[in-house]
Amino acid sequence: MITGYIEAIGSIFTRFAGSVGRFFLFFVSGVNQIFSTPVQTGKILDHIWFIGAKSVFVILLTGLFTGMVLGLQGYYTLVTFGSEAALGTAVSLTLIRELGPVLGAIMVTARAGSAMAAEIGVMRMSEQIDALFTMQIDPVRFVFTPRLLAAVLSFPLLTALFDMVGIFGGYLSGSLFLGINEAVYMDRVINSVKLIDIWGGFFKSLVFAVVVTTICCYRGYYSHVNRQGAYGAKAVSLATTSAVVQSCVCVLICDYVITSFLV
Amino acid sequence: MAAHFIQFQDIKKQFGALEVLKGVNLSITQGQVTVVIGKSGTGKSVLLKHIVGLIHQDSGQLLIQGEPLDRLSKEKLRRFKNKTSYMFQDNALFDFLTVFDNIALPLKETSKIADAVLQQKVHARMTQLGIDGIDHKYPSELSGGMRKRVALARALVTDPEVILFDEPTTGLDPIRKKDVHTMIKAYQKQFGFTAVIVSHDIPHIFDLAQHIALLDDGIIIFEGSQQDLLRSETPEVQAFIQGKTSMEHE
């Protein structure tokens, strides 16, 4: 009985250690391939189009409404203290320091991260990754490295867009709908945001880009390795689900860790 | 006597509790067409995947020109892999790439090749295989037979010395099957590559086989020519051949 428990715990630990090792090897191998030639310019541009450009609409939409909600909530909270003039500060700092990078990353995970995991998962199931291997093409370089570079370039830009549109959303609900003086709102935005806040937000978005892309590509790449022993469509669906869930959770954990160093 | 190019020596492979290969011994001769036949699910594809390193044996040795594959120097291994092509059972074409890009991929990704030479090489293979004019189509827009040809074109575009075919005629109608067999036979004759074909498509596959091995229950129970196979009195060999033949007569 006790031996059985020890074996079960040992097996869980071995599996976990194996997964962590495989994950880091995958990541290091992908990063290492950034420096190999020829540079995969075409593929990187394709993925910038998919991860970055095609996410603009969803970022605009979520940014706008997040800013509007912040303006609305912030106004009714601040007005009780007679400090509604500080709405610009509250909206801009909340967006630039936290919500821009975090919500932006979560939205891109939902839109592009899930697609990455599913696409690579299908490649695994239909032996396309094995085909790359037999053609002497490094599969990690082929499927992961261009996506990683594209995400590292796209995430900060999407975050910047999210921040800008969010601040505009706060202006819409705070100034246009609730009557805070426009000049006061914009003056508070301009004067409260320091360069360090913007750098902090961009740093977070870079870390999130690496985290989200690595998890999503890894999940797809190893979609055939799962505890349920699933294969085919079921394995791809499991890989996609776990890619999205794990990416979102890791984004929030990383956000806390980075913030604790930045404040 | 032709040299043994690839040799399996007591290869064993197990997946979990399932013992797939129980000690395979097989020799593949350079420049010949070797056909590995056997019932479905007996580990024929597993056997083939050992050669390209997609699967590693639990025990036993795989020799390439007399040297163990896992002890080949990096350079020798790279050279062996460069001259080996693999044609997958379900073609493994990249569905997000056009036909041209699929065929060009191994050349584009592994060598610094001028665009004009690339175009010429890819189009030459496409012409040889009768798939001209479909450069911009995607695999999903093609019939099963056409996809097989594209996969074969991709396998041939690097001028390999060894081509491994994993059930190349699965899912094709009898006419297309014959086409693929004829195509492989013709190109093997033309280019002289070593071919290993995994199939259970008998007797049609015998048309191109120069050497036949029968895999049954994880071991090779027969190795020899077509005449030897038909003359064999081993009950398992007879059962396999007759079983297949009777099915075809139905």
Side-chain angles (χ1 to χ4, degrees):
Chain A
M1 175 99 172
I2 294 171
T3 325
Y5 279 127
I6 294 170
E7 270 178 13
I9 293 166
S11 150
I12 292 169
F13 181 76
T14 317
R15 227 175 16 234
F16 177 73
S19 301
V20 172
R22 212 167 34 230
F23 180 81
F24 279 101
L25 281 176
F26 178 79
F27 174 66
V28 171
S29 166
V31 171
N32 195 30
Q33 291 296 336
I34 292 174
F35 308 103
S36 67
T37 52
V39 179
Q40 308 178 82
T41 320
K43 270 187 236 145
I44 295 169
L45 290 175
D46 278 350
H47 291 301
I48 288 178
W49 169 251
F50 181 72
I51 299 169
K54 287 181 116 179
S55 298
V56 166
F57 181 70
V58 77
I59 289 290
L60 286 176
L61 211 62
T62 44
L64 183 71
F65 283 99
T66 306
M68 286 176 77
V69 167
L70 274 178
L72 207 61
Q73 291 279 15
Y75 176 83
Y76 285 111
T77 308
L78 293 169
V79 82
T80 55
F81 305 105
S83 327
E84 64 271 28
L87 186 68
T89 307
V91 170
S92 57
L93 287 183
T94 313
L95 280 168
I96 289 168
R97 285 182 183 173
E98 290 300 329
L99 294 185
V102 172
L103 282 184
I106 289 175
M107 293 318 295
V108 179
T109 302
R111 205 201 66 79
S114 55
M116 279 184 224
E119 193 180 330
I120 299 171
V122 170
M123 284 180 76
R124 167 64 74 188
M125 294 304 148
S126 55
E127 295 184 306
Q128 292 174 41
I129 288 178
D130 288 345
L132 288 171
F133 182 81
T134 62
M135 285 187 259
Q136 288 273 70
I137 301 168
D138 187 326
V140 175
R141 174 181 152 83
F142 192 85
V143 301
F144 174 48
T145 308
R147 285 180 171 89
L148 179 67
L149 283 171
V152 163
L153 293 169
S154 305
F155 270 54
L157 294 174
L158 291 172
T159 302
L161 194 65
F162 191 102
D163 294 347
M164 260 169 43
V165 176
I167 291 169
F168 176 70
Y171 161 81
L172 278 184
S173 60
S175 293
L176 236 56
F177 303 154
L178 296 167
I180 290 177
N181 185 290
E182 293 172 12
V184 171
Y185 178 84
M186 287 317 293
D187 178 65
R188 286 304 178 101
V189 170
I190 292 162
N191 286 316
S192 14
V193 177
K194 303 279 179 285
L195 196 59
I196 186 84
D197 300 316
I198 295 170
W199 279 122
F202 278 167
F203 177 69
K204 281 183 182 179
S205 68
L206 283 175
V207 173
F208 298 161
V210 173
V211 167
V212 167
T213 318
T214 309
I215 291 175
C216 292
C217 292
Y218 170 82
R219 279 286 153 209
Y221 193 84
Y222 286 106
S223 51
H224 60 308
V225 182
N226 54 63
R227 261 183 296 169
Q228 289 87 338
Y231 203 79
K234 180 78 179 161
V236 176
S237 113
L238 285 172
T240 311
T241 308
S242 55
V244 173
V245 172
Q246 288 173 2
S247 295
C248 293
V249 170
C250 286
V251 162
L252 294 171
I253 294 171
C254 289
D255 183 45
Y256 174 77
V257 175
I258 298 169
T259 307
S260 65
F261 282 105
L262 288 177
V263 291
Chain B
M1 189 181 156
H4 284 156
F5 190 43
I6 302 167
Q7 275 180 287
F8 289 81
Q9 288 186 341
D10 200 26
I11 296 282
K12 290 180 184 166
K13 182 68 193 175
Q14 198 165 338
F15 295 102
L18 183 68
E19 212 180 341
V20 180
L21 303 181
K22 299 174 181 171
V24 169
N25 289 293
L26 173 66
S27 299
I28 291 154
T29 308
Q30 193 154 19
Q32 268 198 358
V33 178
T34 301
V35 173
V36 181
I37 53 173
K39 286 177 273 184
S40 299
T42 48
K44 302 188 295 294
S45 300
V46 171
L47 185 75
L48 206 61
K49 284 177 180 173
H50 277 81
I51 302 174
V52 280
L54 280 170
I55 294 177
H56 298 279
Q57 70 269 27
D58 296 332
S59 67
Q61 273 196 329
L62 179 58
L63 306 178
I64 306 296
Q65 290 179 315
E67 278 189 77
L69 181 71
D70 46 11
R71 271 184 255 151
L72 285 182
S73 67
K74 256 189 175 174
E75 183 51 33
K76 275 188 180 171
L77 186 65
R78 195 188 58 79
R79 255 188 288 145
F80 171 69
K81 284 192 170 178
N82 272 346
K83 60 185 182 189
T84 307
S85 269
Y86 194 107
M87 194 173 148
F88 286 82
Q89 191 174 344
D90 295 321
N91 307 317
L93 292 173
F94 297 95
D95 37 24
F96 53 89
L97 295 179
T98 62
V99 166
F100 180 89
D101 289 335
N102 260 290
I103 301 171
L105 190 73
L107 290 175
K108 256 202 280 195
E109 292 283 332
T110 57
S111 58
K112 286 176 187 161
I113 186 167
D115 205 40
V117 181
L118 181 78
Q119 294 267 348
Q120 183 263 320
K121 275 198 142 193
V122 172
H123 283 124
R125 285 286 180 258
M126 290 177 77
T127 307
Q128 281 167 342
L129 291 163
I131 46 172
D132 280 315
I134 56 164
D135 303 35
H136 301 293
K137 288 202 171 185
Y138 285 89
S140 58
E141 298 173 279
L142 305 176
S143 66
M146 289 290 252
R147 274 185 235 165
K148 282 277 174 221
R149 283 161 187 251
V150 175
L152 187 57
R154 187 176 72 182
L156 286 169
V157 79
T158 51
D159 301 322
E161 289 175 26
V162 184
I163 308 186
L164 312 170
F165 297 89
D166 190 356
E167 306 207 9
T169 53
T170 302
L172 295 182
D173 60 73
I175 295 166
R176 292 283 175 214
K177 270 184 192 179
K178 203 171 175 197
D179 273 354
V180 171
H181 288 162
T182 312
M183 212 157 61
I184 295 172
K185 194 175 181 178
Y187 289 115
Q188 197 278 332
K189 215 170 177 181
Q190 189 179 343
F191 300 109
F193 53 77
T194 306
V196 185
I197 307 173
V198 152
S199 178
H200 46 65
D201 186 24
I202 61 166
H204 310 291
I205 197 72
F206 294 154
D207 290 346
L208 58 149
Q210 290 164 314
H211 185 74
I212 299 167
L214 175 56
L215 183 70
D216 187 60
D217 197 26
I219 53 167
I220 298 287
I221 57 165
F222 169 85
E223 218 184 319
S225 67
Q226 183 189 346
Q227 288 73 29
D228 295 338
L229 181 81
L230 296 173
R231 277 200 298 263
S232 170
E233 286 172 8
T234 313
E236 289 88 351
V237 175
Q238 283 302 316
F240 180 73
I241 299 168
Q242 283 165 12
K244 284 287 178 183
T245 311
S246 64
M247 278 170 76
E248 274 157 6
H249 283 303
E250 274 171 23

